[in-house]
Amino acid sequence: MYIDNLTDPKAAEILSADIEKLQGLLDDLNELRAGNYPSNDTLAKAPLLNDYLVIKRGIAALSGDVTGHPTISGNNEPMVSSPLFVVLKDIGAARTLSRWYRLGQRKPIGNGRASPHRMAAPFAKLPIAIGAMQTSRLKIRNCQ
């Protein structure tokens, strides 16, 4: 998150939006710690990420082709997620800072292991926009 000046009228709005996201993540992490998976309804509403990879860009994130994302329109659109916190391979779900994702097919890479430079290559020519959490959040296409 980057706020130049707390007296900026948008500062409280930026902080409120980020606090809401972080609170959602904390609530989900507390549920997982208690042994509770996300509900079927929560996962049914989650975007589907195909050809996904867990990547590292200072912090782990997901990349892949997303469908049903609230801010990225279209089907199978390339994206890089906000920071990744949890991957539940047994139910095919992942929780990033921003939201839950349903995990579709994992992207096959060579011997099954992906290298960072090969993962980033498909996204090198795409337009990039950075949102309010500039130090930790990167979204590609139709960013908020």
Side-chain angles (χ1 to χ4, degrees):
M1 158 182 2
Y2 178 80
I3 297 174
D4 189 45
N5 187 333
L6 282 177
T7 61
D8 180 341
K10 295 198 177 226
E13 182 181 324
I14 292 168
L15 285 167
S16 293
D18 288 342
I19 289 169
E20 186 176 329
K21 278 187 182 182
L22 290 168
Q23 187 60 58
L25 173 62
L26 287 172
D27 292 346
D28 288 341
L29 292 174
N30 280 324
E31 286 296 315
L32 293 173
R33 181 177 59 188
N36 300 319
Y37 284 111
S39 70
N40 290 336
D41 186 52
T42 295
L43 291 179
K45 293 176 185 173
L48 175 63
L49 187 60
N50 276 311
D51 283 338
Y52 78 93
L53 296 168
V54 175
I55 64 171
K56 207 159 171 161
R57 45 181 187 117
I59 187 168
L62 293 168
S63 74
D65 300 330
V66 70
T67 298
H69 193 281
T71 62
I72 301 173
S73 60
N75 292 323
N76 293 315
E77 294 293 322
M79 55 82 62
V80 175
S81 74
S82 59
L84 176 64
F85 283 85
V86 176
V87 175
L88 301 171
K89 289 170 75 174
D90 59 338
I91 64 168
R95 182 58 159 96
T96 66
L97 174 63
S98 301
R99 63 188 45 81
W100 282 101
Y101 285 91
R102 295 174 290 140
L103 299 176
Q105 294 296 314
R106 187 165 187 173
K107 185 176 190 84
I109 301 278
N111 63 1
R113 298 189 70 196
S115 63
H117 67 281
R118 291 175 67 193
M119 289 184 284
F123 302 101
K125 296 180 181 176
L126 293 174
I128 297 174
I130 299 175
M133 297 184 72
Q134 291 183 354
T135 58
S136 65
R137 181 174 64 192
L138 170 68
K139 288 189 179 177
I140 298 175
R141 304 187 71 160
N142 300 331
C143 300
Q144 279 188 326

